[in-house]
Amino acid sequence: DDGPPKGRTNKDNHGGSLGTITGPTILGGCTELCCDTSFAWKQNDATWGRIVHLHPPVCSGDWWSELCTDADKFGVELSANAPHDLRAKALAATLLIDYMFFERDNGILACRPATPPKTGCTIYVTFCLCYCAGCLCPWTLACPCENDNSGN
């Protein structure tokens, strides 16, 4: 579900539109394991294609890689008559989407050491990110794991 349009239109040096990319409201986190995330590319009221963050097949090596690393796979689908400069812009847009929505989070699982004087760590599970009014709001669960230093 793409929800309401929340695309951003960028202008070139001459004031012409470079296009608008719209995407979903809920993305990232655990949703990366089970759902493709699609971003539509439009320019001058024509849809030129879409950029898709692909989810891995369940219980494959790619699934475990997605769970434990920040590696991502994308697909770029453009119409057959898309101009060559638009193809280059789609590649640049893919890199920007990856950075903005899939690299800046904690990943699905993250483990951070406790701040002194506490010992142990905190495990964070990111369920998803909510994109609202230009901000990414993570929905996470924090599980503190404290070390009592008693040797048990």
Side-chain angles (χ1 to χ4, degrees), residues 10 33 55 62-63 67 71 75 92 104 117 123 138:
N10 294 312
L33 296 173
H55 78 281
D62 290 341
W63 191 85
L67 181 66
R104 294 175 57 191
I123 299 172

Side-chain angles (χ1 to χ4, degrees), residues 17-146:
S17 172
L18 292 173
T20 302
I21 298 175
T22 57
T25 302
I26 304 292
L27 66 151
C30 292
T31 66
E32 293 179 32
L33 296 173
C34 59
C35 303
D36 287 346
T37 305
S38 183
F39 297 84
W41 179 296
K42 296 181 181 181
Q43 185 176 28
N44 301 328
D45 295 327
T47 301
W48 287 100
R50 63 188 190 129
I51 300 167
V52 182
H53 180 268
L54 303 168
H55 78 281
V58 176
C59 293
S60 67
D62 290 341
W63 191 85
W64 290 104
S65 176
E66 186 72 42
L67 181 66
C68 299
T69 70
D70 217 5
D72 297 306
K73 290 187 179 182
F74 285 87
V76 178
E77 302 169 4
L78 295 172
S79 62
N81 58 347
H84 293 292
D85 66 324
L86 191 67
R87 295 173 189 268
K89 292 173 189 172
L91 179 60
T94 303
L95 294 173
L96 182 62
I97 287 169
D98 182 36
Y99 173 73
M100 287 180 63
F101 298 111
F102 300 102
E103 297 297 326
R104 294 175 57 191
D105 62 359
N106 287 328
I108 297 169
L109 291 174
C111 183
R112 300 249 160 64
T115 55
K118 294 183 179 180
T119 59
C121 67
T122 301
I123 299 172
Y124 295 90
V125 179
T126 303
F127 294 111
C128 65
L129 302 171
C130 180
Y131 183 71
C132 180
C135 297
L136 281 176
C137 303
W139 293 6
T140 58
L141 173 68
C143 301
C145 303
E146 294 196 23

